[in-house]
Amino acid sequence: QTMARRPQRETEAAHEAWLAKWPVVHGQYRSLVAALSLGAVTGSFACALQTVALVRNVVGTCRWQTAAELLARLTWLGGALAKAARFREPAIANVVRRVLMMVREDHAQLTQQRLAARRRKVATTTTSTGGASSSSSSQPTETTTSFATWQGPSLLDVLAGPGDAASSSTGVAAAASPLVFSAREAAAESSTGGSSASSALDAPPPPGLRQSVVEQILELYEDVEASVEPIASHAAHHVQPSDVVLTVRDAGVADARDDPVAALLGSFSSSSSEHQQQQQQQHPSTVSGVPRGRVVVVDATGDLFSEADPQKSRKKLAYARRVDVTLVPETAIFAIMPKVSKVVLAARAVLADGSFVAPPASYLAALAAREHGVPVLALAAVYKLSPTYPHDPFRRALSDPTGVLPYSRRPEERHVLRDDDGDDLARHTNRPDVANPDFDHVPPDLVDLYITNTGAHQPSYIYRLLAELYSPEDAALFDDAATE
């Protein structure tokens, strides 16, 4: 196993030596790797944003000869960043896969445009040559021969190889024609499969590839930065002012721009105020006021319950100013679910089978919602859609158990069995093994609707979105590194 990993380490060292030729970009890479390793950069939003910024500098600043080389460099970069984050941030691999898809699509599009321009140029040359030869009447035999020489290729010339064309009587002149060369090149590229695509990526890139990819990366950066506002705009369609919403607090969110639930509930509070004003204007004598929006927040970590004053705990929530907030522990989810009309959960990653990874206690909330017939809405930006399936790195992600059971509260050991001499034969301990998972995996049958920045989608439609965002060749790139 050590011998098998040696070539991989040599390849990684070669990639980093290549990046070291540009000190500014290499310093940005080392800083991001250190921040991810130490936990200074956490959350899907911050990781995706800084990864896109680094990839943009690598594509736009560093020197690469072919599209295949660029794909290899970006694949190494995504694997190194995902490994530094201990594979707990799928958004890093997702945005790198998006850029890989951009490179492939732009390369294919620019190559087709170059071939189309070459065909038009050859067709123009053929038309002018044919017109000039047909206008001369002094040499009818040479005119006919010239026109036949530059005539479009037959089906036999297109399908035949170079050796067959050279052996034919008219194939010598036709093979030298640029029109025949263009037609054969186009037929070869359209008829062959992945081998021709890979050989095309190894060829020199078409002009404008670097600029086109950089422009799309900048658009991706803007989409990631403004991904929460479109999600909040769908609140009026899915959450009514009279709804009682239950959500699970995500203690790992460090940036407000990475909290779509807060943005959605903020819009919910605004719509509640507008609904209250409309009711008061329509029925001023009978309606003294409409209750504000009500939100039930599940705190699985217990951070909000550590405050002596519950009012101070509610002030920690950004949407608690105009919404009535009720804090409950995860043990009270099933008891309070009959009073809830909708469950809104924030997804850290949406997987290929339609399931999603969410904060702890989300699976319990989804189970209780199914038992009581309450719809479950999962909020996730597009960059959180991952083409992977549930695997061990998500299940192995554990936090410090002292957040659930402090070390000072652990019970002492006790001896229960001794022999005749008083020696211990067996030792029994009531110290439990405490596991504090970072994630909860919610299967697709417990989700009713996904709300993204592109709209609302059913869990069964996730695979279509993944097919539009990522290439099948890049789906399992970072899974091999995760299982090492």
Side-chain angles (χ1 to χ4, degrees), residues 412-419 422-431:
E412 297 295 334
E413 295 181 350
R414 55 184 180 182
H415 305 290
V416 296
L417 185 60
R418 300 174 182 269
D419 58 5
D423 298 329
D424 296 339
L425 292 179
R427 177 176 295 178
H428 173 72
T429 178
N430 54 359
R431 290 185 178 181

Side-chain angles (χ1 to χ4, degrees), residues 181-202:
F181 172 76
S182 177
R184 285 179 177 173
E185 183 180 3
E189 290 193 0
S190 61
S191 61
T192 54
S195 59
S196 64
S198 59
S199 61
L201 292 175
D202 293 330

Side-chain angles (χ1 to χ4, degrees), residues 128-355:
S128 61
T129 305
S133 60
S134 61
S135 61
S136 60
S137 58
S138 59
Q139 297 177 353
T141 305
E142 294 182 1
T143 301
T144 305
T145 306
S146 177
F147 183 78
T149 303
W150 292 100
Q151 196 175 8
S154 64
L155 182 61
L156 179 62
D157 293 333
V158 172
L159 298 179
D164 298 335
S167 61
S168 62
S169 59
T170 60
V172 178
S177 172
L179 180 61
V180 176
F181 172 76
S182 177
R184 285 179 177 173
E185 183 180 3
E189 290 193 0
S190 61
S191 61
T192 54
S195 59
S196 64
S198 59
S199 61
L201 292 175
D202 293 330
L209 178 61
R210 184 190 301 268
Q211 181 180 358
S212 177
V213 174
V214 169
E215 291 177 356
Q216 292 200 48
I217 293 176
L218 292 177
E219 294 179 1
L220 176 60
Y221 186 90
E222 295 176 357
D223 292 342
V224 173
E225 194 173 21
S227 59
V228 176
E229 288 78 6
I231 295 177
S233 65
H234 295 283
H237 302 283
H238 302 285
V239 181
Q240 303 300 323
S242 59
D243 288 337
V244 179
V245 179
L246 183 141
T247 184
V248 177
R249 176 175 174 265
D250 191 355
V253 174
D255 196 327
R257 294 175 294 179
D258 193 20
D259 194 358
V261 174
L264 187 145
L265 295 179
S267 301
F268 176 41
S269 62
S270 301
S271 60
S272 299
S273 301
E274 295 175 359
H275 181 74
Q276 180 177 357
Q277 294 176 2
Q278 293 176 2
Q279 292 293 330
Q280 289 179 351
Q281 292 176 1
Q282 294 176 2
H283 308 282
S285 58
T286 58
V287 180
S288 59
V290 178
R292 301 191 305 173
R294 291 170 292 175
V295 179
V296 179
V297 179
V298 179
D299 184 21
T301 60
D303 296 339
L304 299 180
F305 294 101
S306 60
E307 295 285 346
D309 187 3
Q311 195 67 21
K312 294 182 179 180
S313 300
R314 295 187 181 93
K315 290 182 179 179
K316 293 183 178 181
L317 303 174
Y319 46 84
R321 297 179 179 179
R322 290 185 295 175
V323 179
D324 293 334
V325 177
T326 302
L327 298 177
V328 297
E330 58 181 338
T331 54
I333 292 178
F334 196 87
I336 204 172
M337 190 59 68
K339 300 180 181 180
V340 175
S341 55
K342 284 186 177 66
V343 175
V344 179
L345 302 175
R348 294 186 181 180
V350 180
L351 306 181
D353 61 343
S355 61

Side-chain angles (χ1 to χ4, degrees), residues 34 65 72 87 121 148 164 171 218 252 291 309 312 323 328 343 373 385 394 409 421-422 437 467 471 474 483:
Q65 301 296 330
F87 306 100
K121 182 178 179 180
D164 298 335
L218 292 177
D309 187 3
K312 294 182 179 180
V323 179
V328 297
V343 175
L385 302 183
F394 290 117
R409 295 177 55 185
D421 299 332
S471 173
D474 307 326
T483 56

Side-chain angles (χ1 to χ4, degrees), residues 381-434:
V382 172
Y383 67 87
K384 295 185 180 181
L385 302 183
S386 179
T388 59
Y389 289 87
H391 55 284
D392 290 340
F394 290 117
R395 300 176 182 176
R396 291 200 307 261
L398 300 176
S399 297
D400 186 6
T402 56
V404 179
L405 183 63
Y407 185 80
S408 59
R409 295 177 55 185
R410 294 199 310 172
E412 297 295 334
E413 295 181 350
R414 55 184 180 182
H415 305 290
V416 296
L417 185 60
R418 300 174 182 269
D419 58 5
D420 296 337
D421 299 332
D423 298 329
D424 296 339
L425 292 179
R427 177 176 295 178
H428 173 72
T429 178
N430 54 359
R431 290 185 178 181
D433 293 332
V434 180

